[in-house]
Amino acid sequence: MTLSEENYLKAIFNLEEQTHKGVPTNAIAEMMETKASSATDMVKRLSEKDLLKYKPYQGTRLTPKGKSHAVKVIRKHRLWETFLVENLDFTWDEVHEVAEQLEHIQSDKLIHQLDKFLGYPKTDPHGDPIPDEEGNIAKIEKKVLAELQQEDEGVCVGVDDSSSAFLKYLDKLDISLGNKIKVIEKEAFDNSMVIQVEENTISISSLASKNIYVRKTS
Amino acid sequence: MTLSEENYLKAIFNLEEQTHKGVPTNAIAEMMETKASSATDMVKRLSEKDLLKYKPYQGTRLTPKGKSHAVKVIRKHRLWETFLVENLDFTWDEVHEVAEQLEHIQSDKLIHQLDKFLGYPKTDPHGDPIPDEEGNIAKIEKKVLAELQQEDEGVCVGVDDSSSAFLKYLDKLDISLGNKIKVIEKEAFDNSMVIQVEENTISISSLASKNIYVRKTS
DNA sequence: CTTAATTTTTAGACAAAACTAAAAATTTGT
DNA sequence: ACAAATTTTTAGTTTTGTCTAAAAATTAAG
């Protein structure tokens, strides 16, 4: 399994997770930042290795074999991200590109021991679940921030509205993926909230809190 | 800098260290377990990138630029080996092939932080010095155990033959890095030795004692 | 339902890194 | 010194993964 093949597999896995439909060639090409012709070539190759099923013009779906391999790569990626943040003082926005490299290291013992070293973490620094050795991925019930009650805590795991305006607004409030969020106060009148994001205490509108996903941690 | 280029650079560096002469194409090919024609091709490419000087039939020598790059790879290799043994319970003989992969990860921050995490170790698990951030490699005055005289004492700092078979043999004798070793008796007849390793007194052959490095302490 | 727009595939090329087979240069033996 | 052995280089192919340009299939629009 080459590096490139693994990256395609991972991309296709993620796309299939989102739509639960056959993944169009164009979508793969876009995710891989390459051309559709290259994606076609790769899909053919992966198909010959029984890692996915593919019919021209009908999109592709991973076979169990392909899925299992993709999940292994994701497991490695998330364990490495955890190591980088927990032990090497990386911040959430720095880990990705290094983990993209580390996820391709081949050694079962390495990843088993790393998992042990980290204390068998359930989620990575972004709140995403870390698949176990058998490839099982825990479903994390992400909720919209608006649903949390006073005193509840969670980790920011994503946004619903991903418009530039909204993301810029979040940047300004210093809310980003992986941030710990605690509900200090909930205003019944207009559903606005006072929340604590890492160190800062801020107030956000109902509209905003409906567009932020969190994984509850307490 | 591709993975393959880095591996050639490292191989050439090691060969040049051994002989301090221009490295023949055949020697490179042998070390890389490839054919001479492939080595010629690569040497030409590295030469165009100013990483080495090369004149047909005269052997190659790394330029300062090439040497500096090779040393960085060696630094990464040895830091990772240290991490694997110290933190992930790898044994001497298991680290090499994983470190061969990890040494190619590109991230200055990663390696700086890893060094810090490990407490700025001076040597790797085989007793070889870890180059510092500027590329300086400490000279370690290590002797082969076979050179010690009766009553001499030393600390095990490495091995010459790092084959899995030899390392396993050492494990069985409970000889490992950092162990205190004292020469109890030297047999002139076959150059075998009776030595005391920490608590245990054992006998080892001439062949074995020639492959163990020690730092003399008395 | 036929034309237009879009998506996907094919065909042909290229670069990296390897190989085989053979030619050329160098070194060695007598 | 000159033939033989060795080392090194060329030349031509192969594989992986990419690209561009163009053809083919599918979908959408009037």
Side-chain angles (χ1 to χ4, degrees):
Chain A
M1 176 81 37
T2 70
L3 200 138
S4 198
E5 286 173 341
E6 272 192 359
N7 282 331
Y8 270 95
L9 229 43
K10 198 178 48 149
I12 295 166
F13 178 87
N14 285 329
L15 290 165
E16 207 180 326
E17 283 297 282
Q18 276 166 40
T19 62
H20 297 281
K21 278 179 200 151
V23 182
T25 307
N26 254 3
I28 299 171
E30 199 183 339
M31 175 134 303
M32 292 299 295
E33 290 177 313
T34 183
K35 297 298 155 71
S37 53
S38 307
T40 300
D41 289 348
M42 182 56 88
V43 158
K44 277 186 193 163
R45 225 145 5 103
L46 293 173
S47 172
E48 268 163 28
K49 296 190 178 187
D50 268 321
L51 293 160
L52 52 80
K53 289 285 176 210
Y54 150 82
K55 293 220 172 164
Y57 295 95
Q58 315 234 129
T60 66
R61 315 207 63 156
L62 296 183
T63 61
K65 191 173 157 191
K67 213 168 276 187
S68 146
H69 200 106
V71 169
K72 269 181 200 155
V73 176
I74 288 167
R75 169 170 159 81
K76 290 193 276 183
H77 183 102
R78 293 182 179 167
L79 283 172
W80 280 118
E81 283 197 339
T82 305
F83 172 70
L84 294 176
V85 169
E86 296 280 304
N87 299 100
L88 301 193
D89 296 324
F90 275 64
T91 56
W92 74 272
D93 55 309
E94 292 175 321
V95 292
H96 191 72
E97 69 170 328
V98 184
E100 286 284 302
Q101 297 179 62
L102 286 163
E103 74 190 4
H104 300 293
I105 304 290
Q106 311 289 154
S107 164
D108 287 345
K109 171 153 188 175
L110 173 63
I111 212 63
H112 181 267
Q113 291 295 101
L114 183 64
D115 196 12
K116 184 178 175 188
F117 174 81
L118 295 169
Y120 305 106
K122 296 266 192 317
T123 62
D124 74 9
H126 302 118
D128 294 316
I130 298 173
D132 70 17
E133 216 147 27
E134 281 74 46
N136 307 305
I137 308 179
K139 267 264 158 37
I140 50 159
E141 10 56 54
K142 57 180 180 188
K143 293 187 163 191
V144 291
L145 174 57
E147 286 175 32
L148 294 204
Q149 299 307 313
Q150 208 157 308
E151 295 297 300
D152 280 353
E153 290 181 76
V155 173
C156 175
V157 295
V159 293
D160 188 30
D161 173 1
S162 62
S163 71
S164 169
F166 184 55
L167 293 174
K168 271 182 189 156
Y169 170 68
L170 291 181
D171 267 355
K172 206 157 68 183
L173 295 183
D174 262 324
I175 298 176
S176 50
L177 229 51
N179 276 173
K180 235 191 285 185
I181 294 178
K182 181 175 183 180
V183 180
I184 304 297
E185 219 182 310
K186 237 182 141 172
E187 188 52 68
F189 156 64
D190 64 354
N191 291 313
S192 72
M193 284 176 154
V194 176
I195 62 174
Q196 191 180 331
V197 182
E198 300 286 334
E199 311 295 88
N200 312 319
T201 303
I202 55 173
S203 168
I204 67 169
S205 71
S206 162
L207 183 62
S209 71
K210 276 182 197 154
N211 276 299
I212 297 171
Y213 288 125
V214 294
R215 177 177 50 82
K216 248 187 94 176
T217 53
S218 80
Chain B
M1 176 79 37
T2 70
L3 201 137
S4 196
E5 287 173 341
E6 272 192 359
N7 282 330
Y8 270 95
L9 230 43
K10 200 178 47 148
I12 295 167
F13 178 86
N14 285 328
L15 290 166
E16 207 180 324
E17 283 296 285
Q18 276 166 40
T19 62
H20 297 282
K21 281 182 198 148
V23 181
T25 307
N26 254 5
I28 299 171
E30 199 183 339
M31 175 134 300
M32 292 299 296
E33 291 177 314
T34 182
K35 295 299 154 71
S37 53
S38 306
T40 300
D41 289 348
M42 182 55 90
V43 158
K44 277 186 190 161
R45 228 156 350 116
L46 293 174
S47 172
E48 268 163 29
K49 295 190 179 186
D50 267 323
L51 293 160
L52 52 80
K53 289 287 176 210
Y54 150 81
K55 293 222 171 161
Y57 294 95
Q58 318 234 128
T60 66
R61 316 207 63 154
L62 296 184
T63 61
K65 191 173 157 191
K67 213 167 278 188
S68 146
H69 200 106
V71 168
K72 268 180 202 157
V73 176
I74 289 167
R75 171 171 157 79
K76 289 194 276 184
H77 183 101
R78 294 184 178 166
L79 283 172
W80 280 118
E81 283 198 340
T82 305
F83 173 70
L84 294 175
V85 169
E86 296 279 304
N87 300 100
L88 300 194
D89 295 325
F90 275 64
T91 56
W92 287 23
D93 53 309
E94 292 174 323
V95 291
H96 191 72
E97 69 170 329
V98 184
E100 286 284 302
Q101 297 179 61
L102 287 163
E103 73 189 5
H104 300 293
I105 304 291
Q106 312 289 153
S107 165
D108 287 344
K109 171 154 188 174
L110 173 63
I111 211 64
H112 180 269
Q113 291 295 100
L114 183 63
D115 196 12
K116 184 178 174 187
F117 174 82
L118 295 170
Y120 305 107
K122 296 268 191 312
T123 62
D124 74 9
H126 302 116
D128 296 315
I130 297 174
D132 69 17
E133 216 147 28
E134 281 74 45
N136 308 304
I137 309 179
K139 269 262 158 39
I140 291 180
E141 15 60 47
K142 55 183 178 185
K143 291 189 162 192
V144 291
L145 173 57
E147 285 175 33
L148 295 203
Q149 299 307 312
Q150 206 158 310
E151 295 297 302
D152 280 353
E153 290 182 74
V155 173
C156 174
V157 294
V159 295
D160 187 34
D161 173 0
S162 60
S163 71
S164 175
F166 184 55
L167 294 173
K168 274 183 184 147
Y169 170 68
L170 292 180
D171 271 356
K172 207 158 66 183
L173 295 183
D174 262 323
I175 298 177
S176 54
L177 220 57
N179 279 173
K180 234 190 289 183
I181 295 179
K182 182 176 182 179
V183 180
I184 304 296
E185 219 182 310
K186 237 182 142 173
E187 187 55 66
F189 157 63
D190 64 353
N191 291 313
S192 72
M193 283 177 154
V194 176
I195 61 174
Q196 191 179 331
V197 182
E198 298 287 332
E199 312 295 88
N200 313 318
T201 302
I202 54 173
S203 168
I204 66 170
S205 70
S206 161
L207 183 62
S209 70
K210 276 182 197 153
N211 276 299
I212 297 172
Y213 288 123
V214 294
R215 179 170 47 79
K216 248 186 97 177
T217 55
S218 79

